[in-house]
Amino acid sequence: MRAQPRRVGASLAVALTLTIASPGTEVLAQSVRADVAPRPRVTETANGLTLAVPAAGKTSGYTVDISTDGNLALTTERGGTPVLATAGGDTGALRFRSGDAWQHATDVTAWSWKNGVLTLTADTTLDGAGIEARVTPAADRYQLDWNVEGVEPDRLGLAYDLASAGHWYGHGEAETPQGGPGTDQPWPLDSGEVEHPGFSPASYNMIDPFWYASSSTGLRVDTGNVMDVAINEGKDGLGRFDVRSADTYRATVFVESTPLEVYRDYVGIVGKPAKSDATYEQYAKPVWNSWAQFYTNIDQEKLLDYATDLKAAGLDGHALQLDDKWESNYGNLTFDAKAYPDPKTMSKKIHDLGFDFGLWTTLWINLDSDNYRFAVDKGYLLGDAADPAKPCTVTWWNGTAGIIDLANPDARAWYTGRVKSLMSDYDIDGLKFDTRFFDDRCAPRDGYKPTDYQRLGTELADEFDLQGVGIRVHWDSTAHRAGFVTRQVDKGTGWESVRAAVTQNLAISTIGYPFVTTDMIGGSGGQPAPDKEVLIRSAQVASLMPLMYSSTSPVDTIDVTTGRKVVYDQETIDLYRAAIKRHERLAPYIWDQVQQTLRTGDPIVRPLFFDFPKDRASYTVPDEWMLGPAVLAAPQVTDRATRTVHLPPGTWYDVNQGTVIRGPKDLKGYGAPLGVTPAFVNLKAKGADKALRALRGVHAPAASVLLAPDAPETTNGEAFEVTTTATNWGSPPLTRVTAALEVPAGWHTEATTAATTRSLAAGATLTTRWTVTPPTDADWGSHTLTGTVTYDGGTKVSDHIPVKVKPEPGTVSAPYRTADTTGGAQFAQAGGQFAIWAGGQDLSGWKDEKAAVYESGVVGEKATVRARLVSQESASPVGKAGIAVANDLTAPGKGGYAILVMTDKYGLEFMTDSDGDGRLDTWAGGGPTYHPAYLRLVRDGTAYTAYASKDGTSWSTVGSATVASASGTGDAGLVASAANVNYPGERIQAVFDGFSVTAS
């Protein structure tokens, strides 16, 4: 190791490569023991420096290239592929603001590697200012700390090229030009624009300084200061993460194998929930809150009418909360005597209807309240940031207020004492805490930081029953570990807010707050009352979330914008009630997920790609989510009656149709009329049985049948085994249950275990083993097996799986011959089917290495050669398979040589030998690769024309050429070459059928 800094020229472009693979440690600066894993090493190269640590254990290693070339930049790579890169150009990677102008690091001037820390110093675009940066590697992350020297900046920031990491997620509730977080939440974040100044621990938004990407990288900024975050602002393709402080910028960059592992790394730092604040009943049933139903136009009579109507309509719930506008003034903690003449009786009537009773409350005391002057005199309020001797005043939606200082033990005791007395006097069961516990316009108490108020607020709220609506605390580890339910910021009442509720729960869940609920069903943002469809669809969305948070009654409500009553029809009531019942049935499964989250920290609501990271289509799906491992929720979030549903790899049960579907598959035009909530159960996931019983639609069959394995493979004449498993998902027993297996014509199947039963109890299964044997001349490729189960005198359900019959190397029969210039080629024939396995560096002008199955002396002066290329598999993208003609295919130099082939990735190639020297020297082709590919080569004397078709009916001309050396009657056949010059040792497998030569 170098103990002293090394100098490098100011104009030198320094390239630094950092490969990480040592086991993960909590102390990032700890060096790797030689007896545990190879040590990092530093070498100096012509271009700069290379710091490398080999892969070890479960970590695959990664690299960080640090170069200047005028600007200091960092590019993280995994397996040689870039997965995260800082911004270039005038933006700069390590950037700071001084004198209202942004500056950034430029040339590296010195470096040292000591005790596992790489230290770099760099010039900047500001004269007299320099940067010192420290990179401390660990197995799955690296710490990046840096500071500015020579000047006192007011902001430090990191900037990234968003596209370098794929798609971006995390952040939490995002402020956007399109109305976020109330009516917009882009998913992924880079699909929209995020402009989020004032991103801080004191924000009302549920946010954390954590972001992750589809490349399985992530960023955590370790700060308690206010940030300004911009992601794709103005569609600029950049992510800027600026901190309003001159303090050392501390960041952790995670480099993992999947996005879920990045999330787990983050939760390993901030902590997972130690408990669930919500009870089972609060997960199972909705809470009804008065806010969106009445806003502030509420009194005792209206609240009791509301509760009575809900009960009469069968709209169940565990609690009813009286939201804003019950106090005589904000901060008094006394009922408005005019609006609530008898709170004690009101509370009793609510309890008699079967609801717990809750109240909205806040720590904000309005300046004109009875308690404000008392709190000021006692020093119970937060001080002003500019003059802490004065109380801080903040303007909010209900006036101007001071905030109780929870760091003052006397202030906290005074507040909690008054709240608990209120609750005791009126039999109040729980509270909904609103607003914030701190504001950036205020000063924290001596010895405290702004982030401490998230902890203090958490500790205060933990003394009370929050009734399943939780509390909006974030950023601090205490908030993560408290296990509170997290409710969203107020949403609008239109479709855009329904969609934002989905993506926002995904965002909040995946920054470490797993017990999420949407905002009030139907919205609560002071907009016109939701229409029927929005209200029902919102309820359906919420029914597939961990908790339901209700307000707008599907019986009737008041339009806050007009003051007029809005009456919904009976279908609205029925479908809202159905959503509540669905959620209640699902509660045992949800509760299992809560317990799993307490063990692992994994989110309950998560994007599809957390469970299916290799399914690339899942990374841009904004309107589906996994609810635990077994339920894929895809409710309709638009005003249409159909939608496209994306199913990742797996075996899925459609709870509405009662059918089994194997993914990956896109269900286009999936029927989702107002009464249908699309959802699918992963039959092989833990908890599938509970989830399916809860969600199976009333019109879905009582039984299902599942074939296994999903995609068996065999060879001609080789027997294999499959099973059919019939399951009774209903309550009553099924009678006269019979399993059967349908196979292709000429195949044989036999049940080796019982295929019938007189009765199948609820939850019971009938598994039948079958031996299946294809004929010795079975077509290679895919065939379909259909498993069926009939029951109750004729009801029938079915499942289908593909079976692949694979060719095996063998021989070909006369009149066919083989030729091989690749060395070691193999061939097979089954009737009119042929297979070739071959190597070969290329099949082109510079190298003619191929294997062929051919007929000799069959191509006359006027002839047509045809074949269907069924499939080809090769490591090389230019692996080739197709048809060929020549005077003598074993000796192309004798003339008449032409080929028509499909490449593995780059479409068709038609090549000919124009001068008779045996070398292919003309070319035509291109386009996409497809299979099967119908190929046709027509000879008319010395004129050759090539055609291709996707269906054997509609043909396209690939090209024409004159081959002057063509003479007499020649050979024709099937050819294949691995074209493995860049993939040494790799082979191609090509399968053909339909080969023929006819006179034209």
Side-chain angles (χ1 to χ4, degrees):
M1 294 185 185
R2 300 181 187 274
Q4 299 298 322
R6 288 291 303 269
R7 305 295 298 178
V8 295
S11 62
L12 176 66
V14 179
L16 167 68
T17 300
L18 168 60
T19 303
I20 309 299
S22 54
T25 57
E26 288 299 319
V27 182
L28 292 179
Q30 180 177 331
S31 60
V32 181
R33 289 175 48 189
D35 60 342
V36 176
R39 290 179 179 272
R41 63 185 185 275
V42 177
T43 58
E44 194 160 8
T45 67
N47 294 323
L49 304 171
T50 298
L51 171 59
V53 179
K58 295 182 179 180
T59 60
S60 58
Y62 61 88
T63 64
V64 179
D65 297 333
I66 304 177
S67 61
T68 56
D69 193 20
N71 286 333
L72 176 63
L74 296 85
T75 301
T76 306
E77 297 185 2
R78 184 179 53 242
T81 301
V83 290
L84 180 66
T86 54
D90 293 336
T91 302
L94 277 58
R95 53 202 300 269
F96 62 96
R97 196 176 78 170
S98 179
D100 294 326
W102 281 98
Q103 313 289 343
H104 61 267
T106 55
D107 300 302
V108 171
T109 58
W111 64 273
S112 69
W113 169 248
K114 184 176 181 181
N115 296 329
V117 180
L118 175 70
T119 302
L120 303 166
T121 58
D123 287 336
T124 75
T125 51
L126 180 64
D127 289 342
I131 280 178
E132 180 180 282
R134 295 161 297 283
V135 180
T136 310
D140 52 10
R141 71 198 73 182
Y142 59 90
Q143 188 77 22
L144 174 61
D145 300 336
W146 62 280
N147 51 274
V148 177
E149 299 173 337
V151 296
E152 184 75 9
D154 65 354
R155 281 169 170 74
L156 273 65
L158 276 175
Y160 285 97
D161 172 15
L162 296 175
S164 68
H167 296 298
W168 287 68
Y169 314 88
H171 188 97
E173 294 172 338
E175 294 186 3
T176 75
Q178 290 73 37
T183 58
D184 178 49
Q185 178 77 32
W187 184 272
L189 291 168
D190 54 280
S191 68
E193 300 175 73
V194 176
E195 299 175 12
H196 205 144
F199 185 90
S200 84
S203 173
Y204 185 69
N205 295 319
M206 282 297 302
I207 51 178
D208 263 24
F210 169 62
W211 299 264
Y212 62 97
S214 59
S215 64
S216 302
T217 56
L219 172 68
R220 179 200 182 216
V221 180
D222 184 7
T223 183
N225 293 304
V226 179
M227 295 182 65
D228 297 315
V229 176
I231 298 174
N232 203 28
E233 181 179 13
K235 301 291 185 180
D236 63 5
L238 299 177
R240 293 188 292 274
F241 308 93
D242 303 328
V243 179
R244 298 182 192 176
S245 172
D247 296 342
T248 298
Y249 195 109
R250 304 184 188 280
T252 301
V253 176
F254 302 100
V255 188
E256 278 287 6
S257 56
T258 68
L260 176 58
E261 291 301 323
V262 175
Y263 167 86
R264 287 170 172 169
D265 288 345
Y266 178 66
V267 168
I269 295 173
V270 298
K272 61 183 178 64
K275 61 176 177 55
S276 168
D277 178 70
T279 65
Y280 176 86
E281 185 182 26
Q282 291 167 358
Y283 282 99
K285 298 180 180 181
V287 56
W288 291 92
N289 182 286
S290 66
W291 176 249
Q293 179 73 5
F294 301 105
Y295 294 96
T296 57
N297 186 25
I298 178 69
D299 57 30
Q300 180 172 320
E301 181 181 0
K302 291 176 181 177
L303 187 68
L304 290 175
D305 286 345
Y306 175 56
T308 302
D309 287 349
L310 292 173
K311 191 69 175 179
L315 298 163
D316 202 4
H318 67 83
L320 187 141
Q321 293 181 330
L322 174 56
D323 206 280
D324 196 356
K325 206 57 180 176
W326 61 268
E327 287 182 273
S328 55
N329 199 345
Y330 295 102
N332 284 352
L333 291 177
T334 57
F335 278 96
D336 181 336
K338 183 177 179 180
Y340 303 91
D342 191 353
K344 183 79 170 180
T345 298
M346 178 179 68
S347 176
K348 182 179 185 305
K349 288 182 178 180
I350 289 171
H351 283 105
D352 289 345
L353 289 168
F355 298 104
D356 283 351
F357 181 40
L359 280 182
W360 173 92
T361 190
T362 174
L363 274 73
W364 293 34
I365 303 178
N366 273 10
L367 272 59
D368 57 351
S369 73
D370 297 339
N371 284 325
Y372 179 76
R373 180 44 54 190
F374 174 83
V376 170
D377 292 343
K378 290 289 187 178
Y380 288 169
L381 303 181
L382 285 166
D384 186 78
D387 184 0
K390 297 179 180 179
C392 175
T393 57
V394 290
T395 300
W396 63 311
W397 60 87
N398 284 321
T400 304
I403 305 175
I404 294 171
D405 185 354
L406 291 179
N408 181 335
D410 293 337
R412 172 172 171 163
W414 172 72
Y415 175 79
T416 56
R418 289 180 59 83
V419 169
K420 289 179 179 179
S421 293
L422 177 74
M423 296 176 72
S424 175
D425 290 344
Y426 298 108
D427 294 329
I428 297 165
D429 303 292
L431 300 174
K432 172 190 169 181
F433 282 93
D434 210 348
T435 66
R436 305 186 301 279
F437 299 112
F438 187 80
D439 189 279
D440 290 322
R441 290 166 289 187
C442 303
R445 190 175 176 86
D446 288 346
Y448 290 84
K449 304 184 298 295
T451 50
D452 291 326
Y453 284 83
Q454 296 288 346
R455 173 180 57 81
L456 294 167
T458 298
E459 293 168 353
L460 169 70
D462 212 17
E463 295 185 36
F464 302 94
D465 179 1
L466 303 181
Q467 299 186 308
V469 300
I471 190 169
R472 294 172 60 80
V473 289
H474 56 94
W475 206 288
D476 184 81
S477 288
T478 306
H480 286 275
R481 294 168 180 161
F484 292 134
V485 172
T486 299
R487 66 180 186 272
Q488 296 178 3
V489 71
D490 292 5
K491 293 290 176 294
T493 58
W495 287 108
E496 70 282 357
S497 292
V498 179
R499 292 187 286 274
V502 171
T503 51
Q504 210 157 89
N505 264 1
L506 287 169
I508 295 170
S509 259
T510 58
I511 60 171
Y513 304 98
F515 306 136
V516 291
T517 183
T518 64
D519 181 38
M520 296 170 189
I521 292 169
S524 66
Q527 296 178 355
D531 64 27
K532 169 185 175 177
E533 288 75 16
V534 166
L535 185 59
I536 291 170
R537 294 301 195 187
S538 295
Q540 292 171 347
V541 166
S543 73
L544 297 173
M545 295 291 182
L547 303 100
M548 294 186 74
Y549 184 25
S550 297
S551 182
T552 299
S553 168
V555 179
D556 57 57
T557 190
I558 302 297
D559 187 327
V560 69
T561 63
T562 64
R564 296 174 182 171
K565 188 174 184 178
V566 177
V567 179
Y568 297 104
D569 63 10
Q570 187 61 44
E571 185 184 35
T572 308
I573 298 171
D574 292 343
L575 292 180
Y576 200 121
R577 186 193 307 112
I580 293 173
K581 295 300 183 185
R582 179 187 308 112
H583 185 80
E584 190 170 354
R585 293 193 305 272
L586 195 56
Y589 170 80
I590 292 173
W591 187 247
D592 286 348
Q593 306 320 308
V594 172
Q595 305 313 306
Q596 178 69 8
T597 293
L598 295 178
R599 288 188 291 270
T600 66
D602 288 353
I604 299 173
V605 171
R606 59 229 197 189
L608 307 187
F609 59 80
F610 265 34
D611 291 77
F612 306 96
K614 294 182 180 180
D615 183 40
R616 304 314 299 178
S618 294
Y619 286 81
T620 53
V621 175
D623 54 0
E624 301 176 28
W625 64 94
M626 295 301 299
L627 183 70
V631 176
L632 186 151
Q636 180 61 286
V637 293
T638 73
D639 60 357
R640 299 181 62 189
T642 63
R643 61 157 298 165
T644 295
V645 176
H646 175 70
L647 296 180
T651 305
W652 301 94
Y653 180 87
D654 182 337
V655 302
N656 293 293
Q657 303 296 329
T659 56
V660 176
I661 305 166
R662 285 173 173 79
K665 190 170 186 178
D666 288 334
L667 307 180
K668 297 182 179 180
Y670 184 91
L674 194 55
V676 172
T677 305
F680 302 80
V681 175
N682 184 352
L683 290 176
K684 297 184 179 180
K686 185 177 181 181
D689 54 344
K690 282 186 180 180
L692 197 153
R693 289 193 190 92
L695 294 174
R696 186 176 65 87
V698 294
H699 300 298
S704 70
V705 60
L706 180 65
L707 271 165
D710 287 343
E713 295 183 347
T714 189
T715 57
N716 294 86
E718 180 185 10
F720 61 99
E721 185 178 88
V722 297
T723 61
T724 55
T725 299
T727 304
N728 179 8
W729 300 110
S731 297
L734 303 179
T735 61
R736 292 169 289 167
V737 180
T738 301
L741 184 66
E742 300 173 7
V743 297
W747 292 44
H748 179 263
T749 184
E750 181 180 359
T752 58
T753 61
T756 63
T757 183
R758 293 179 61 185
S759 179
L760 194 63
T765 60
L766 170 64
T767 298
T768 305
R769 296 183 181 277
W770 306 83
T771 298
V772 182
T773 308
T776 56
D777 61 350
D779 288 347
W780 298 327
S782 183
H783 303 264
T784 299
L785 300 186
T786 301
T788 64
V789 168
T790 56
Y791 60 94
D792 290 352
T795 304
K796 187 175 182 179
V797 292
S798 62
D799 184 26
H800 312 273
I801 58 171
V803 178
K804 183 178 182 180
V805 179
K806 303 183 298 181
E808 282 192 320
T811 60
V812 301
S813 303
Y816 300 104
R817 304 179 182 186
T818 62
D820 175 26
T821 58
T822 69
Q826 295 175 295
F827 308 90
Q829 179 185 1
Q833 304 170 95
F834 300 89
I836 301 174
W837 294 263
Q841 288 190 327
D842 203 357
L843 177 53
S844 63
W846 79 279
K847 186 76 69 171
D848 193 279
E849 294 185 350
K850 64 182 180 295
V853 175
Y854 71 100
E855 284 190 273
S856 179
V858 293
V859 181
E861 291 284 340
K862 293 182 179 294
T864 299
V865 180
R866 294 181 177 86
R868 185 176 75 142
L869 174 61
V870 178
S871 64
Q872 67 188 99
E873 299 175 11
S874 66
S876 168
V878 291
K880 301 171 185 181
I883 57 178
V885 297
N887 295 341
D888 182 347
L889 269 177
T890 65
K894 293 182 179 181
Y897 187 29
I899 66 170
L900 172 61
V901 295
M902 182 71 77
T903 63
D904 197 69
K905 293 288 188 295
Y906 300 123
L908 292 158
E909 290 189 347
F910 171 50
M911 292 181 281
T912 68
D913 170 16
S914 65
D915 56 11
D917 65 355
R919 298 183 179 215
L920 299 168
D921 53 22
T922 72
W923 185 94
T929 292
Y930 54 87
H931 296 98
Y934 294 82
L935 306 176
R936 187 172 76 192
L937 193 55
V938 177
R939 177 188 174 189
D940 184 0
T942 60
Y944 288 5
T945 305
Y947 303 88
S949 170
K950 294 181 179 179
D951 57 11
T953 301
S954 300
W955 294 86
S956 299
T957 302
V958 182
S960 297
T962 298
V963 182
S965 57
S967 64
T969 301
D971 300 346
L974 309 167
V975 294
S977 174
N980 64 10
V981 63
N982 294 318
Y983 301 83
E986 294 291 341
R987 300 212 303 173
I988 187 173
Q989 175 186 301
V991 176
F992 307 84
D993 64 14
F995 175 71
S996 68
V997 181
T998 58
S1000 299

